[in-house]
Amino acid sequence: MEHGEPAMWSELQTIKMTYHAIAQGERPWTALGDFMNYWFCYSTTQRAELIEEPLQEPVELTPELHQWAAFCAASVEYLCERYAITCPDWVSAPSYILEEPWFKGLGAHKPNVQTRLRQETPECFARRNIYCGNRIFANKYELAAEVQQRQSA
């Protein structure tokens, strides 16, 4: 599929499918990376469809899978805010707020890193007790376009 080419509905990597893949054992960053490719490149005109369906947490929900569900909900809210898309109601469910803080990132177990993550994490993640910093969704496609534009100027 070429950059910017619209995907067919059956081919879209939705956030619901992404979470399902995580629940089935796929490495979370791989599943989220696939979703981000659709969001930032393959299906930019279908972003609302990528996020409209709510997640379905498994009956046998582990604490780790619940953390990833909360992360997916925070991700949808973050992306909707950033790209001016109406956020679906399902992301504001109180169940997506973690009871304990969850720190993600290199060295996240260290107190000084946790302090930095608390300061830098976007509000929609922090409100859910997830601390991941502010570069979690750096868009490589937009960054590449900016670099190319500067080089041609």
Side-chain angles (χ1 to χ4, degrees):
M1 185 175 308
E2 295 297 317
H3 174 71
E5 178 183 329
M8 299 303 296
W9 174 249
S10 62
E11 297 175 328
L12 291 179
Q13 173 77 23
T14 66
I15 196 69
K16 179 181 178 182
M17 291 170 59
T18 299
Y19 180 73
H20 180 74
I22 293 168
Q24 294 298 309
E26 185 167 344
R27 186 175 162 268
W29 295 118
T30 301
L32 286 163
D34 291 343
F35 170 77
M36 299 313 296
N37 285 333
Y38 278 85
W39 183 271
F40 287 127
C41 184
Y42 307 145
S43 301
T44 58
T45 61
Q46 296 174 289
R47 287 177 170 159
E49 290 95 319
L50 294 175
I51 58 170
E52 70 184 348
E53 292 184 285
L55 307 180
Q56 291 183 332
E57 291 186 286
V59 175
E60 307 257 339
L61 184 63
T62 66
E64 182 181 13
L65 284 179
H66 184 63
Q67 288 173 325
W68 284 112
F71 188 91
C72 287
S75 298
V76 168
E77 183 177 347
Y78 175 82
L79 292 167
C80 286
E81 287 173 4
R82 176 140 187 203
Y83 293 92
I85 294 174
T86 301
C87 194
D89 291 338
W90 66 264
V91 302
S92 52
S95 62
Y96 294 126
I97 298 172
L98 302 177
E99 291 182 24
E100 298 292 322
W102 186 37
F103 295 92
K104 296 299 295 168
L106 190 60
H109 63 284
K110 298 177 182 178
N112 62 326
V113 173
Q114 290 180 2
T115 298
R116 180 182 52 80
L117 290 174
R118 283 185 187 273
Q119 294 169 346
E120 294 177 354
T121 296
E123 193 272 333
C124 54
F125 286 90
R127 187 172 8 89
R128 289 176 175 86
N129 230 353
I130 301 167
Y131 300 95
C132 54
N134 60 3
R135 300 214 19 93
I136 196 73
F137 289 113
N139 179 348
K140 65 184 177 186
Y141 300 105
E142 289 175 356
L143 293 173
E146 287 175 20
V147 169
Q148 187 177 21
Q149 187 176 27
R150 281 189 218 135
Q151 289 175 342
S152 62

